[in-house]
Structure formats: C-alpha cells, structure tokens
C-alpha cells in the first residue's frame, strides 16, 4: 500500500484550483452525474471524494483540489492508521446497516 500511495502522490502533480473552475471543466467530465457529484463535493469543501467510478474519476485524480480515492484504498489506509476506530465504524455499520440502506424521501 505504501508503494501504491507513493505512486499516486507521484502521479498527482497538477491540481486545478476551485477558483479557476468553469463550465469548460465540467464539460470535460463526460458523465453529467459526475458533474453533480463534483459540484456537491466543491460546495461542501470536501478534500476527498470516495468513488467506485474509476473510468471518469480514477483513484489519485485531483479535480479542483478534490482527490479521488477508491473506497477500498481509503478504508485500507484508514484501518492501517486507525485500527480501533475502523473496528468501531465496522460495528456501527453492521448495527445500523438497514437504516443506512433506507432511501431518503
């Protein structure tokens, strides 16, 4: 994992500041739902975006200062750095699983 993180850090060299965002940037994102996702992340001042969409938002990509992470990589690193907190999250998800999967109306 450390080797992979180093590779990603090496790949991620150019960050587009949010102040330079334009419709052109969003037009370059082919999937309209990805545009909404990115705008939501920007509006919430997120630093990290967890996504399974490796085609349009690959792990390690940085768009407007938001770094895209594959959830598996994020959780692996989180576990390695915080094993006790990770176990508490797993326990919570198992307990609250049905509530978490209920769609909001």
């Amino acid at each position: 994992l450390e080797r992979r993180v180093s590779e990603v850090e090496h790949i991620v060299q150019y960050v587009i500041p949010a102040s330079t965002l334009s419709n052109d940037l969003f037009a370059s994102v082919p999937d309209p739902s990805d545009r909404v996702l990115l705008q939501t992340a920007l509006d919430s001042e997120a630093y990290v975006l967890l996504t399974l969409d490796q085609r349009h938002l690959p792990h390690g990509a940085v768009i407007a200062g938001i770094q895209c992470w594959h959830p598996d990589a994020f959780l692996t690193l989180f576990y390695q750095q915080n094993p006790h907190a990770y176990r508490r999250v797993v326990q919570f998800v198992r307990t609250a699983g049905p509530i978490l999967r209920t769609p909001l109306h």
Side-chain angles (χ1 to χ4, degrees):
L1 180 64
E2 289 178 40
R3 184 176 58 80
R4 179 69 179 135
V5 169
S6 294
E7 290 172 4
V8 169
E9 287 174 349
H10 178 72
I11 292 169
V12 178
Q13 297 176 15
Y14 303 101
V15 176
I16 303 168
S19 61
T20 64
L21 283 179
S22 67
N23 289 335
D24 294 337
L25 176 65
F26 285 111
S28 69
V29 177
D31 187 347
S33 63
D34 290 338
R35 293 181 205 145
V36 172
L37 186 63
L38 286 171
Q39 187 62 57
T40 302
L42 285 169
D43 291 345
S44 66
E45 299 179 4
Y47 297 103
V48 175
L49 176 63
L50 300 182
T51 178
L52 294 171
D53 184 351
Q54 296 300 290
R55 193 170 93 197
H56 299 125
L57 303 168
H59 178 81
V62 177
I63 303 172
I66 300 169
Q67 186 171 19
C68 300
W69 277 71
H70 188 281
D72 290 343
F74 178 83
L75 290 172
T76 299
L77 186 61
F78 179 68
Y79 173 74
Q80 290 176 337
Q81 294 180 355
N82 307 288
H84 298 293
Y86 179 86
R87 288 187 199 105
R88 287 179 38 213
V89 169
V90 169
Q91 182 180 11
F92 171 78
V93 170
R94 285 184 180 151
T95 304
I99 294 169
L100 296 174
R101 288 188 288 271
T102 302
L104 299 175
H105 298 283

